[in-house]
Amino acid sequence: MADPQGMHDGDGDEAAGGATGAFANRLRKGAKHFRRWARAEGLTAFRVYDRDIPEYPFAVDLYGDRAHVTEYPRRRAIKSGAAEAQREEVLAAVTQVLGIPAEHVFVKTHTPQPWGKAQYGRVGEGSGRLVVEEQGLKFWVNLGDYLDTGLFMDHRLTRARVREEAKGKRFLNLFAYTGAFTVYAAAGGARSTVTVDLSNTYLDWAEDNLDLNGLADARHELIRADAKAWVEAQAGGPERFDLIVCDPPSFSTSKKMTGSFNVQRDHVRLLDALRTLLTPGGVLYFSNNFLGFQLDARVPRAWKSVEELTPRSLPEDFQRKDIHRCWRLVAP
């Protein structure tokens, strides 16, 4: 098997190729540390640079022997044309410092979006599909076609919690994306799982991930539905779950759903409905990536316990950014 961390182990500077400057030096330092750390953690997908230098607003992730670079350009830099020159500098450093050929570097631009605009869809027709490993499990990722790759690496620690708690449990995964939490629950010995997402593409992807780990069978049900509407329709019904993960988008709208979803506006109603789906003492992991989010004061009064896990839910390669908020709620 090839070295999963790429062409070089990052312990020397043989891949540096003479790249100099603040960004190249910081990237070199991050790659050396995190390649060694990831090997010990059993990861072939991890972050090595995360907007560490404010003047270089990029995130650089390694997926096996490939790099995924996300640019967060400032409006002023876009208007002045400075963003393009900086992008060329960054990409040159990525290829030289990381020792990854240009054809294995995938670049995305995360342009500033007004609140309430629908999430990103397909952005290309790339050929960046590959398998990565995480804590003993395998996942398909796609570096070329979408802004997101199919695996939210910042939730790695919460996925590990779910695997530890899942044995014998009935598990529900809402706004499930490509089903990584479901794979962890199934690997942890969940009695059954239900995975709900509005996208057929992502549900097919979730099925592929289960199959990749030898976990695809009749105990694991995949449902295409608007997760919020599905939960409200099930509330008060006979089916109960012991463990739920709900990781909704900050905002969502689609022709396939009624109205829109706004996590700040809608979370109290959503959490109330979820509480009725849990067995007594059942656990809900609730997360979102709206950094301005405030948990309504009414929520703790309705649950046996509410514990915010942030920042303990952030893995080491994401400690530098508050990329999500995460809570563990226990039903009365």
Side-chain angles (χ1 to χ4, degrees), residues 166 168-172 190-193 240-244 279:
K169 303 288 180 63
R170 290 160 292 186
F171 174 73
L172 173 63
R191 183 196 312 179
S192 63
T193 71
R240 291 289 185 273
F241 298 91
D242 308 296
L243 183 60
I244 298 177
T279 55

Side-chain angles (χ1 to χ4, degrees), residues 55-58 71-91 109:
E55 292 76 21
Y56 289 87
F58 293 80
E71 178 186 17
Y72 299 86
R74 296 178 174 84
R75 296 182 189 276
R76 186 179 302 172
I78 296 173
K79 291 179 180 179
S80 69
E84 186 173 345
Q86 187 180 62
R87 187 183 310 124
E88 292 178 3
E89 176 193 351
V90 166
L91 295 181
T109 299

Side-chain angles (χ1 to χ4, degrees), residues 34 72 85 114 125 135 141 225 244 263:
F34 284 113
Y72 299 86
E125 297 292 341
Q135 303 177 134
V141 296
I244 298 177
V263 71

Side-chain angles (χ1 to χ4, degrees), residues 200-323:
N200 280 324
T201 297
Y202 292 148
L203 288 175
D204 289 345
W205 200 327
E207 187 171 23
D208 287 347
N209 281 333
L210 285 165
D211 188 57
L212 183 63
N213 291 278
L215 297 168
D217 61 48
R219 294 173 300 161
H220 306 302
E221 185 179 4
L222 304 170
I223 297 175
R224 180 192 168 278
D226 170 10
K228 176 174 172 285
W230 186 88
V231 167
E232 291 174 351
Q234 302 297 314
E239 189 168 17
R240 291 289 185 273
F241 298 91
D242 308 296
L243 183 60
I244 298 177
V245 167
C246 182
D247 180 30
S250 298
F251 180 88
S252 181
T253 185
S254 168
K255 295 177 182 177
K256 303 174 187 175
M257 63 189 289
T258 302
S260 63
F261 176 81
N262 177 320
V263 71
Q264 186 64 66
R265 180 192 68 202
D266 299 329
H267 77 277
V268 174
R269 183 176 175 183
L270 176 62
L271 294 178
D272 281 346
L274 286 172
R275 195 177 66 254
T276 73
L277 296 185
L278 280 166
T279 55
V283 172
L284 165 66
Y285 285 100
F286 172 66
S287 177
N288 69 79
N289 60 1
F290 174 38
L291 297 185
F293 180 81
Q294 294 294 324
L295 193 69
D296 192 283
R298 291 170 288 178
V299 172
R301 295 197 291 267
W303 294 77
K304 180 179 179 181
S305 68
V306 175
E307 177 189 11
E308 182 166 4
L309 300 178
T310 323
R312 288 176 291 139
S313 62
L314 294 168
E316 185 173 332
D317 50 334
F318 284 85
Q319 286 293 331
R320 294 154 294 184
K321 287 284 179 288
D322 293 330
I323 193 169

Side-chain angles (χ1 to χ4, degrees), residues 145-180:
D145 291 346
Y146 304 92
L147 186 69
D148 294 313
T149 65
L151 185 65
F152 290 134
M153 296 187 293
D154 58 298
H155 280 301
R156 206 183 290 127
L157 297 182
T158 307
R159 286 194 284 269
R161 279 176 171 263
V162 166
R163 177 165 57 182
E164 291 170 3
E165 296 180 24
K167 188 173 180 61
K169 303 288 180 63
R170 290 160 292 186
F171 174 73
L172 173 63
N173 187 5
L174 297 164
F175 303 94
Y177 192 38
T178 60

Side-chain angles (χ1 to χ4, degrees), residues 13-21 24-25 28 92-93 95-97:
D13 290 331
E14 68 272 17
T20 60
N25 290 335
R28 185 179 294 108
T95 58
Q96 293 177 42
V97 171

